[in-house]
Amino acid sequence: MSNLPHEPEFEQAYKELASTLENSTLFQKNPEYRKALAVVSVPERVIQFRVVWEDDKGHVQVNRGYRVQFNSALGPYKGGLRFHPTVNLSILKFLGFEQIFKNALTGLNMGGGKGGSDFDPKGKSDSEIRRFCVSFMTELSRHIGADTDVPAGDIGVTGREVGFLFGQYRKMRNSWEGVLTGKGGTWGGSLIRPEATGYGVVYYVDHMIKHVSGGQQSFLGKRVAVSGSGNVAQYAALKVIELGGTVVSLSDSQGSLITIGDTGFTPAEINTIADLKVERKQLSSIVSSPEFVNKFRYIPNARPWTHVGKVDVALPSATQNEVSGEEAQVLIDNGCKFIAEGSNMGCTQEAIDVFEAHREANPGTAAIWYAPGKAANAGGVAVSGLEMAQNSARINWSAQEVDSRLKGIMDSCFKNGLDTAREYATPKEGILPSLVTGSNIAGFTKVAAAMKDHGDWW
């Protein structure tokens, strides 16, 4: 019996990758890659530490802090910090494992890592959050650096937290360096970084739509269901609206906000929700306000997928495992043709199996086409990589320059996954290639080849 602890989220991520490699011709053509899979699935380093801080009442509090430095074959470890009470080693290992291959798909020189704490910023004062961040970074600072490990934000870590963390790092190391991304625009941050993940997933899906339609369709006129209401969901929704689509849902941990009839969210309404989330309030607090009461219905304790009716596109953008097998089938029954993960591992394995089975059984225009998060939501870490490049050169690019580079990276992610799927998992005539298989193999082989060159396996 294995002496390893049960880590369900990490095991799910590993099995999802391994199964797609097994079901392709990769190991037939390159049997030595089995050894690489065994090596890459073990983190290079796992750091765990206590975080002691004082609340506003003068009481001492203690939390657990983590950093999983998973793989540095392609560059410094790169991946976010998550502050949320659900954080544990299994979740961070799953996120770090996914990050390895996501970062590889961007084409930038970044390894994979993830970290965070079970600290909950909700309900805490700015002073309490600052004291926690100071204590957290005091320990983490000895393990990171611009050429070693470059964290970013994630759930619960906004620009405020990044500022507190960066300030403590600078004091501890007496050094100004691009050790964190998602920084403020006046002190090393990149334009388009807050928008990047949401924009990127929309750019990716736009390529999917154009491929299936032979360039005849876009987001124009499409009904789009979005989950979540944080940065990813907000900016994905705004970009969909800009491209002519109709956004019919947003959600948070307490429930879903669904539009009534054929109308969709407006940019002003999304900005109102963005302000609400800055204040760490729930969607339920605005459903009875004059601008929302007659246009939306609020469904408590529910995700949007079974309530949105007919949709063309689904963008899960909240958290992991937010689309079940049953919900996947409802989306298909309601005419959904494209689903792409704005969140990491947004779909359960059961949901992925439903989507992939439908794709394999139906010709292109009749099938639903699924894009995994490691490809579809790579825009966030891509612009983090661009922020690292700007910091290294001590320059700032314009928003147009960064957005143009983001579009190019998402185009490359899509084409790389598509071409790799055709090579290693050739579909039947008229059937769309598997983007999950193609993206997994493309990311894995790039990392495995670098590791072999380094002597990590042979």
Side-chain angles (χ1 to χ4, degrees):
M1 180 178 290
S2 172
N3 63 350
L4 296 176
H6 179 49
E7 296 175 333
E9 292 85 3
F10 172 63
E11 290 165 17
Q12 178 184 342
Y14 171 82
K15 290 175 182 176
E16 187 267 326
L17 177 86
S19 65
T20 58
L21 302 184
E22 289 283 359
N23 293 328
S24 72
T25 61
L26 177 67
F27 291 149
Q28 297 172 27
K29 296 178 178 180
N30 308 95
E32 70 275 13
Y33 274 138
R34 289 185 185 277
K35 188 178 295 183
L37 177 60
V39 176
V40 78
S41 63
V42 179
E44 293 175 7
R45 190 175 297 105
V46 176
I47 301 153
Q48 182 171 343
F49 52 94
R50 70 185 180 197
V51 186
V52 181
W53 57 283
E54 187 178 281
D55 66 23
D56 286 342
K57 296 180 180 179
H59 298 155
V60 171
Q61 304 290 339
V62 61
N63 289 94
R64 291 174 174 83
Y66 306 88
R67 189 65 180 172
V68 178
Q69 296 178 332
F70 223 119
N71 192 284
S72 59
L74 298 180
Y77 307 106
K78 185 81 191 82
L81 296 171
R82 177 175 293 192
F83 291 170
H84 194 272
T86 61
V87 163
N88 58 40
L89 198 53
S90 174
I91 287 176
L92 294 180
K93 283 181 67 177
F94 124 63
L95 291 168
F97 188 65
E98 290 276 292
Q99 199 77 48
I100 301 169
F101 312 111
K102 179 190 299 185
N103 293 358
L105 288 170
T106 69
L108 302 175
N109 294 323
M110 300 182 293
K114 206 76 177 183
S117 174
D118 56 4
F119 171 77
D120 188 359
K122 289 184 178 179
K124 306 295 192 304
S125 69
D126 283 356
S127 294
E128 288 174 322
I129 291 170
R130 179 182 55 79
R131 287 193 290 270
F132 171 84
C133 288
V134 165
S135 182
F136 182 89
M137 182 52 79
T138 298
E139 174 60 33
L140 186 65
S141 64
R142 68 188 71 187
H143 306 291
I144 62 176
D147 296 315
T148 304
D149 184 351
V150 183
D154 193 77
I155 294 173
V157 179
T158 66
R160 171 182 56 181
E161 286 78 14
V162 169
F164 293 151
L165 293 166
F166 184 85
Q168 181 64 5
Y169 179 89
R170 182 172 52 79
K171 294 167 189 171
M172 293 290 297
R173 300 289 287 268
N174 190 29
S175 174
W176 196 109
E177 54 181 307
V179 70
L180 286 156
T181 56
K183 299 185 290 298
T186 59
W187 46 277
S190 175
L191 295 170
I192 308 295
R193 178 58 191 92
E195 300 92 336
T197 308
Y199 281 12
V201 71
V202 174
Y203 293 153
Y204 190 98
V205 174
D206 199 44
H207 287 299
M208 296 170 71
I209 296 171
K210 285 181 167 61
H211 179 85
V212 171
S213 67
Q216 299 302 303
Q217 295 183 31
S218 67
F219 269 96
L220 184 64
K222 298 287 191 293
R223 285 175 59 85
V224 182
V226 181
S227 67
S229 49
N231 261 16
V232 180
Q234 291 166 25
Y235 288 114
L238 289 170
K239 182 57 69 172
V240 167
I241 295 168
E242 179 186 325
L243 297 179
T246 301
V247 176
V248 298
S249 67
L250 291 171
S251 67
D252 60 21
S253 59
Q254 301 298 313
S256 295
L257 197 60
I258 314 290
T259 59
I260 298 171
D262 295 329
T263 59
F265 283 85
T266 66
E269 289 160 351
I270 293 170
N271 290 333
T272 296
I273 290 171
D275 292 340
L276 186 79
K277 290 303 170 178
V278 169
E279 298 172 3
R280 301 189 183 276
K281 294 181 180 178
Q282 302 294 331
L283 293 176
S284 57
S285 66
I286 60 169
V287 294
S288 58
S289 63
E291 62 180 308
F292 283 86
V293 67
N294 294 319
K295 185 177 177 180
F296 301 91
R297 57 193 175 106
Y298 179 75
I299 305 172
N301 304 314
R303 297 186 290 240
W305 316 120
T306 61
H307 303 281
V308 289
K310 182 187 181 304
V311 291
D312 303 292
V313 180
L315 303 177
S317 304
T319 189
Q320 67 267 11
N321 290 329
E322 55 172 312
V323 183
S324 68
E326 291 181 1
E327 289 167 322
Q329 189 58 56
V330 171
L331 285 170
I332 291 172
D333 293 343
N334 285 337
C336 186
K337 298 300 182 186
F338 305 94
I339 178 165
E341 293 175 333
S343 55
N344 294 306
M345 206 165 72
C347 298
T348 63
Q349 188 59 54
E350 291 76 16
I352 297 171
D353 291 344
V354 170
F355 296 139
E356 288 290 272
H358 194 268
R359 176 190 58 79
E360 292 172 355
N362 293 275
T365 56
I368 192 169
W369 206 10
Y370 161 73
K374 63 172 60 70
N377 71 37
V381 75
V383 175
S384 282
L386 299 180
E387 181 176 327
M388 292 166 64
Q390 292 171 79
N391 290 168
S392 295
R394 297 292 195 268
I395 59 175
N396 294 99
W397 293 330
S398 68
Q400 292 77 13
E401 171 74 9
V402 177
D403 196 36
S404 175
R405 290 174 182 259
L406 172 61
K407 288 177 179 177
I409 289 170
M410 299 314 298
D411 181 34
S412 177
C413 279
F414 173 73
K415 290 177 178 176
N416 195 2
L418 190 71
D419 293 343
T420 305
R422 287 169 170 158
E423 179 179 357
Y424 291 103
T426 308
K428 297 177 183 177
E429 185 69 27
I431 301 299
L432 292 166
S434 171
L435 292 175
V436 63
T437 298
S439 299
N440 280 340
I441 295 174
F444 170 76
T445 54
K446 182 175 182 180
V447 174
M451 292 172 65
K452 187 175 184 180
D453 290 345
H454 300 166
D456 295 337
W457 67 276
W458 56 93

